[in-house]
Amino acid sequence: MIFPKGDRKEEEQIMMTSDNARAGMQQAPARSLFNALGFTQEEMKKPMVGIVSSYNEIVPGHMNIDKIVDAVKLGVAEAGGVPVVFPAIAVCDGIAMGHVGMKYSLVTRDLIADSTECMAIAHQFDALVMVPNCDKNVPGLLMAAARLNLPTVFVSGGPMLAGHVKGQKRSLSSMFEAVGSYAAGTMTEEDVCEFENKVCPTCGSCSGMYTANSMNCLTEALGMGLAGNGTIPAVYSERIKLAKHAGMAVMELLRQNIRARDIMTKDAIMNALTVDMALGCSTNSMLHLPAIAHEIGFDFDISFANPISEKTPNLCHLAPAGPTYMEDLNEAGGVYAVMKELADIGLLNTGCMTVTGRTIGENIANAVNRNPEVIRPVENPYSKTGGLAVLKGNLAPDGSVVKRSAVVEEMMVHEGPARVFDCEEDAIAAIKGGKIVAGDVVVIRYEGPKGGPGMREMLNPTSAIAGMGLGSSVALITDGRFSGASRGASIGHVSPEAAVGGPIALVEEGDIISIDIPGLKLDIRVSDEEMAARKAKWQPGAPKVTTGYLSRYEKMVTSGNRGAILEI
């Protein structure tokens, strides 16, 4: 069944079944085309399962997905279905970072959801297995799953193993910071080259708790992925077994008529938010959870994060927040072990249904925390509050997001002069040129969903700040967003954004910015009267892009606090 956008309770339910495309005399022409595909008469009578493959040869997290898809096909066929593969796109954020290509990253989330919807309905699949891995690819397919409401299972490509440089585990965030260290004169070109050749040693999504791994872990918390989907490394044979089981599981869901929206409920999304806080996930989850919630008719306010965070301990400090990596979380018991810690103190709704056909509580009943240094027990957390915080104030009336688990203690409360830049490139040039000093607050604006357009990630400037030794003395504020690899006092999603005249558009060089993360406040020390006078003089700029997809996106996209969803 599929529900168009709007009030889900009152809209007509459209029944999807492969019989619509294959049964009866009027579908004889379609059957002739299935014959052209090599379908046997026996296959014509079996359920048709769409396998959405995100395989490509440009994203390291996707280069192994062909193997995962082959394993899913075996599982589906073994369980009595007919597997049929069709594609979904994916962008590598690391490769797209720092140039115009990053404008085309977040925007793919909606292309992925829309194209999957088109393919699934046009061909009337009975069920789906989603095979994503990277940042926008996972939430885009979760949005599609919610929209289509078919029996659906997620099995991802898996995380990369950590690199090893000079006897220490390292990841992509270390690489970006190495470039900053080189600019600061604290690292040689040979050192950077060693990082370059060693930090990303295998296929898979980058090895820290960045956006891709955050969202893959949250497939387990939502109930849409089997145990281990978020953490089993891409190169482990265990992931091939997981993929086979995913193919079998979707056939069981079909038999039991358990559909995506039976699993992705309001309670499941709040479970995911809770697990997010414990894991210390990427700030990008605060774009993606609202967008997924929108597809089930749930108006997710990012302010929900604060009361959840206040009662949810942060149990994990994976890179970039700490020295552990996805492979360590996997060995420690994975997402289920984290969920068991939370459930034991009553923080999860354990009655939510999952793709196993069992509830969250049943799934995690026997989970074990095998390493209390990687997954802190609830009585000994890294902090008593969760990994994310939503800050509001006269600079961000509709909210902003910070990964507080990755902020050093001395930057939890900070005041400093604004150093204002209207694009990422100008800010990077100033940081690497030594023009930013301890105490400054770097403001990067006109990089929001509309202003970018496309809401670029700011890993280059945050890494440059860290690499130049300013991570404990300089903050960065933007209406754009951050990579999960960013650390420090990096506050994104400032809403309303500059392009629509939000207060961030009115900040002037030298204005004092006040950040109070424990107090959940983000303010500019300028009088209301002065801000009103500046607002009266403000004029919107001309669109940066006037043709193609980005131009259409800019006209339809909402603000970051609403998940940058598209509305007509």
Side-chain angles (χ1 to χ4, degrees), residues 218-370:
L218 294 187
T219 64
E220 295 188 51
L222 284 167
M224 293 297 292
L226 298 174
N229 188 51
T231 60
I232 297 171
V235 294
Y236 283 14
S237 299
E238 192 65 28
R239 186 154 289 273
I240 299 297
K241 298 177 187 177
L242 183 75
K244 291 176 183 176
H245 286 137
M248 297 174 195
V250 80
M251 293 303 297
E252 186 59 32
L253 291 182
L254 183 60
R255 279 187 279 271
Q256 294 187 43
N257 194 29
I258 298 173
R259 296 168 178 265
R261 259 188 258 131
D262 296 325
I263 296 169
M264 282 194 284
T265 62
K266 177 180 176 179
D267 286 339
I269 288 172
M270 297 309 285
N271 275 349
L273 180 58
T274 301
V275 174
D276 182 308
M277 294 296 174
L279 286 171
C281 290
S282 164
T283 52
N284 282 312
S285 63
M286 295 305 291
L287 288 173
H288 302 321
L289 287 176
I292 296 162
H294 178 71
E295 296 294 341
I296 67 166
F298 171 28
D299 187 11
F300 182 103
D301 188 321
I302 62 169
S303 295
F304 293 163
N306 289 337
I308 294 289
S309 182
E310 284 304 308
K311 63 183 180 181
T312 305
N314 178 225
L315 305 181
C316 300
H317 263 195
L318 288 95
T324 53
Y325 293 82
M326 296 306 296
E327 62 200 65
D328 302 313
L329 178 59
N330 187 62
E331 294 302 318
V335 177
Y336 274 19
V338 175
M339 293 173 71
K340 181 68 161 55
E341 293 280 352
L342 298 174
D344 284 348
I345 57 171
L347 292 181
L348 291 184
N349 185 326
T350 56
C352 291
M353 180 53 62
T354 75
V355 293
T356 66
R358 299 185 296 275
T359 65
I360 286 285
E362 291 170 318
N363 285 348
I364 66 175
N366 297 317
V368 175
N369 181 353
R370 300 188 186 93

Side-chain angles (χ1 to χ4, degrees), residues 23-40:
M25 182 56 66
Q26 68 178 13
Q27 292 308 118
R31 289 197 297 276
S32 72
L33 295 170
F34 281 111
N35 281 324
L37 289 167
F39 275 53
T40 66

Side-chain angles (χ1 to χ4, degrees), residues 13-304:
Q13 298 182 13
I14 302 170
M15 296 301 298
M16 286 178 61
T17 168
S18 58
D19 283 349
N20 292 341
R22 296 186 298 182
M25 182 56 66
Q26 68 178 13
Q27 292 308 118
R31 289 197 297 276
S32 72
L33 295 170
F34 281 111
N35 281 324
L37 289 167
F39 275 53
T40 66
Q41 289 301 310
E42 291 82 3
E43 287 174 319
M44 293 279 198
K45 299 172 184 177
K46 294 179 180 179
M48 189 165 65
V49 179
I51 302 174
V52 186
S53 170
S54 303
Y55 169 77
N56 64 47
E57 295 182 341
I58 190 62
V59 184
H62 291 238
M63 62 182 286
N64 64 316
I65 279 178
D66 55 340
K67 309 297 187 300
I68 305 297
V69 167
D70 286 345
V72 173
K73 290 171 69 176
L74 287 171
V76 168
E78 184 174 331
V82 180
V84 181
V85 179
F86 65 90
I89 63 170
V91 163
C92 178
D93 280 19
I95 294 174
M97 196 75 66
H99 55 84
V100 68
M102 181 46 69
K103 293 178 184 285
Y104 286 86
S105 172
L106 178 61
V107 304
T108 63
R109 185 185 69 184
D110 297 275
L111 287 173
I112 291 162
D114 292 349
S115 60
T116 302
E117 173 192 345
C118 291
M119 288 293 289
I121 297 177
H123 302 102
Q124 293 290 292
F125 289 102
D126 296 293
L128 297 169
V129 178
M130 307 294 198
V131 191
N133 211 31
C134 285
D135 295 31
K136 315 313 162 309
N137 186 244
V138 183
L141 290 178
L142 283 165
M143 290 163 65
R147 195 181 299 176
L148 291 160
N149 200 28
L150 292 168
T152 306
V153 176
F154 275 67
V155 57
S156 304
M160 185 183 290
L161 294 178
H164 291 80
V165 182
K166 301 185 188 305
Q168 290 185 308
K169 284 186 177 181
R170 297 290 189 176
S171 62
L172 184 65
S173 56
S174 311
M175 183 72 253
F176 278 88
E177 290 179 15
V179 174
S181 297
Y182 176 77
T186 59
M187 190 173 283
T188 67
E189 186 173 348
E190 289 75 18
D191 290 331
V192 174
C193 186
E194 184 177 6
F195 272 77
E196 183 179 330
N197 288 314
K198 293 182 177 179
V199 297
C200 297
T202 73
C203 63
S205 48
C206 296
S207 56
M209 187 55 82
Y210 310 150
T211 307
N213 291 328
S214 295
M215 295 309 301
N216 282 323
C217 286
L218 294 187
T219 64
E220 295 188 51
L222 284 167
M224 293 297 292
L226 298 174
N229 188 51
T231 60
I232 297 171
V235 294
Y236 283 14
S237 299
E238 192 65 28
R239 186 154 289 273
I240 299 297
K241 298 177 187 177
L242 183 75
K244 291 176 183 176
H245 286 137
M248 297 174 195
V250 80
M251 293 303 297
E252 186 59 32
L253 291 182
L254 183 60
R255 279 187 279 271
Q256 294 187 43
N257 194 29
I258 298 173
R259 296 168 178 265
R261 259 188 258 131
D262 296 325
I263 296 169
M264 282 194 284
T265 62
K266 177 180 176 179
D267 286 339
I269 288 172
M270 297 309 285
N271 275 349
L273 180 58
T274 301
V275 174
D276 182 308
M277 294 296 174
L279 286 171
C281 290
S282 164
T283 52
N284 282 312
S285 63
M286 295 305 291
L287 288 173
H288 302 321
L289 287 176
I292 296 162
H294 178 71
E295 296 294 341
I296 67 166
F298 171 28
D299 187 11
F300 182 103
D301 188 321
I302 62 169
S303 295
F304 293 163

